[in-house]
Amino acid sequence: MRRRRILLEGSRTTNVITVAAAMVLVASLFIAGFAGRLLASSAAATPECTTAKLDVWLNTNGNGAAGSSYYDLNLTNLSASTCTLYGYPGISAITQAGAQVGSAGARSSAHAVSVITLTSARSAKGLETSTAHNTATVVLQIADAENFPQKSCVPITAAGFRVYPPNQKESTVVPYPFVACAKTGPRVLHVEAVQRYVASQ
């Protein structure tokens, strides 16, 4: 009888421990879920960077490799409020009159897509300068037009780029003459996802 009582008490202890462990697990999941919703809500509260808020500019100090040149295409928040960027910009070569030349740029998945939060450039003591806090960078690859057969490319000097910031329908123009393909098909331009700006040395 005493042995049976000991067994029953041991069983109750095990059940109590199991229930307690389950309650801890449920509480942990609840806290994690709440924290996730809080972060998502916070991110959603920060508006996207619209084209009108951004100064889009090219660092013309490029690097060449394997038949391509690589440049930093930068987006600086010049508005009075914080905003976010996420994803890839749209880009195409244009003539001096603003007409598109050849095919639009393609996307490169060299960098993972992430939310980049840009503070207001005006909040930094009123100075509208480019810093790691208010600027994002897109690595732009310009392939040498001579890489493509001349008949399918038809090289032409483009006057610059038409750029659509991520998820925006309004564009801006960035002047920079380079050799593009007049015909559609060859992809001379490639862009990576926006990432945190790092000033060139």
Side-chain angles (χ1 to χ4, degrees), residues 23-99:
M23 290 177 67
V24 169
L25 178 60
V26 170
S28 300
L29 292 173
F30 176 79
I31 292 170
F34 178 76
R37 287 194 299 273
L38 189 62
L39 288 173
S41 176
S42 177
T46 304
E48 289 184 331
C49 297
T50 62
T51 305
K53 292 181 178 181
L54 299 169
D55 180 28
V56 182
W57 53 283
L58 185 72
N59 182 344
T60 57
N61 296 321
N63 296 306
S68 292
S69 296
Y70 295 84
Y71 300 88
D72 286 344
L73 182 66
N74 300 304
L75 302 91
T76 300
N77 176 20
L78 293 186
S79 74
S81 58
T82 298
C83 61
T84 61
L85 289 171
Y86 178 84
Y88 298 82
I91 191 168
S92 59
I94 57 171
T95 65
Q96 207 165 14

Side-chain angles (χ1 to χ4, degrees), residues 7-201:
L7 289 173
L8 288 172
E9 289 175 353
S11 177
R12 289 194 194 98
T13 302
T14 302
N15 290 337
V16 169
I17 293 173
T18 302
V19 171
M23 290 177 67
V24 169
L25 178 60
V26 170
S28 300
L29 292 173
F30 176 79
I31 292 170
F34 178 76
R37 287 194 299 273
L38 189 62
L39 288 173
S41 176
S42 177
T46 304
E48 289 184 331
C49 297
T50 62
T51 305
K53 292 181 178 181
L54 299 169
D55 180 28
V56 182
W57 53 283
L58 185 72
N59 182 344
T60 57
N61 296 321
N63 296 306
S68 292
S69 296
Y70 295 84
Y71 300 88
D72 286 344
L73 182 66
N74 300 304
L75 302 91
T76 300
N77 176 20
L78 293 186
S79 74
S81 58
T82 298
C83 61
T84 61
L85 289 171
Y86 178 84
Y88 298 82
I91 191 168
S92 59
I94 57 171
T95 65
Q96 207 165 14
Q100 182 172 322
V101 174
S103 296
R107 294 179 176 183
S108 169
S109 58
H111 285 278
V113 179
S114 60
V115 176
I116 305 298
T117 300
L118 304 182
T119 62
S120 169
R122 297 177 186 176
S123 67
K125 298 181 181 179
L127 301 177
E128 296 183 353
T129 56
S130 303
T131 70
H133 299 292
N134 60 42
T135 303
T137 294
V138 172
V139 175
L140 168 63
Q141 176 189 356
I142 304 178
D144 190 338
E146 294 182 359
N147 292 345
F148 306 99
Q150 188 165 356
K151 288 185 178 180
S152 62
C153 173
V154 185
I156 186 175
T157 301
F161 315 96
R162 182 173 299 283
V163 179
Y164 291 85
N167 308 307
Q168 299 302 307
K169 295 182 179 180
E170 298 296 326
S171 65
T172 187
V173 170
V174 179
Y176 184 71
F178 70 100
V179 180
C181 289
K183 285 193 172 183
T184 57
R187 300 279 187 173
V188 175
L189 303 176
H190 293 77
V191 289
E192 297 177 7
V194 290
Q195 55 187 298
R196 181 62 61 192
Y197 169 76
V198 178
S200 299
Q201 300 298 321

